[in-house]
Amino acid sequence: MKESIDIAKSLFESRRYQEAIDTCQKILSSDKNSVDTLKLLAKSLLASKQIEEARSSFNKILNLNPDDYESIKDLGNTYLAMGDTNTAKNYYQKALAINSAYAPALTNLGSIELTTGNKQDALSLLIAATESDPQFAPAWVNVANSYSQSGEAEKAKDACQKAIELDPDLFKPHSLLATILIGQKKLQEAAISLRKAIELKPDFFQAHLNLGAVLKDLGQLEEAEISVRTAIEINPNFALSYCNLGNIL
């Protein structure tokens, strides 16, 4: 049993979500109440955007253990994935009522507050998340975003670098760091961050577009043209891409 769960975890970590789902379902066919397996199944379903199925699995976990604050938070994530921020927020608050120092719930709640314009509340929640778990990289990403929106570029940059130090394979801090560096006219450094962001998420057209703009300002016009044309291939309906390409040409 343990070997099977370990295989499912490995598949999940490799983003082979459907294979992880299939493995978990095989385990559950002989042990339907394995909470660890149900959690991994639910997370895999959520990651593969099978929202209703994920929600059903999280509810099964909570029927077995109503105080499982991790699953309560993850259940909130299913609503957030559907754009229902109010219900998601309620679940994050329920998780925090059980464990007030739970960094992922603090981070997600802070992210919602930031999105809805409550910048001070957001920053308080996000800083609390980093204090609760200084190794939780997503909290530092959101702290960086909060500082960036408040115009505190150096603090935002420090938070991005902390997130990258903790998890260099997170795409968001590299992208955000590039934006901060562009604002500071540090174009060579920005280009490095954008290339890393593209390496991690090749289909993010904005990173290609931003890299094209940076390369244009650096006088590297042929590379700039390639980057902007790539952005257009990914998203042909963004007008600014064509303006940038026209300027380069």
Side-chain angles (χ1 to χ4, degrees), residues 102-221:
Y102 184 43
L106 288 165
T107 300
N108 291 359
L109 191 56
S111 180
I112 289 176
E113 296 295 350
L114 189 60
T115 302
T116 54
N118 300 320
K119 293 182 180 179
Q120 195 55 52
D121 289 344
L123 186 59
S124 296
L125 286 162
L126 294 167
I127 289 175
T130 63
E131 290 173 345
S132 172
D133 185 357
Q135 304 302 308
F136 188 56
W140 289 102
V141 176
N142 282 283
V143 167
N145 194 23
S146 180
Y147 280 132
S148 180
Q149 289 190 27
S150 300
E152 298 183 73
E154 285 302 321
K155 288 183 178 180
K157 190 189 332 185
D158 289 345
C160 280
Q161 290 168 336
K162 179 65 175 178
I164 291 168
E165 175 188 327
L166 290 170
D167 188 348
D169 292 331
L170 276 180
F171 143 79
K172 287 184 179 179
H174 293 284
S175 179
L176 180 55
L177 179 58
T179 301
I180 295 165
L181 291 167
I182 290 169
Q184 296 178 331
K185 308 298 183 185
K186 297 178 179 179
L187 300 185
Q188 295 283 5
E189 294 176 55
I192 293 170
S193 292
L194 285 166
R195 291 187 195 280
K196 183 62 179 178
I198 289 167
E199 177 188 329
L200 294 169
K201 192 172 175 63
D203 62 346
F204 186 57
F205 87 95
Q206 189 69 55
H208 291 281
L209 185 61
N210 290 347
L211 180 58
V214 167
L215 292 171
K216 174 184 173 292
D217 288 345
L218 289 170
Q220 301 174 36
L221 298 184

Side-chain angles (χ1 to χ4, degrees), residues 209 212-213 216 224-225 228-229 231-232 235-249:
L209 185 61
K216 174 184 173 292
E225 180 184 348
V228 175
R229 287 192 185 278
I232 291 170
N235 182 0
N237 299 314
F238 192 64
L240 182 60
S241 299
Y242 297 95
C243 294
N244 286 10
L245 180 57
N247 288 335
I248 292 166
L249 294 172

Side-chain angles (χ1 to χ4, degrees), residues 55 58-59 62 66 68-80 84-99 102 104-106 108-109 112:
R55 193 173 294 160
F58 285 126
N59 279 317
L62 292 172
D68 186 334
Y69 54 83
E70 180 186 9
S71 294
I72 293 171
K73 179 268 296 179
D74 284 336
L75 186 55
N77 289 349
T78 69
Y79 288 95
L80 189 65
D84 186 351
T85 55
N86 287 333
T87 303
K89 186 175 177 178
N90 288 338
Y91 278 104
Y92 300 148
Q93 289 169 334
K94 286 179 183 179
L96 291 169
I98 298 169
N99 182 354
Y102 184 43
L106 288 165
N108 291 359
L109 191 56
I112 289 176

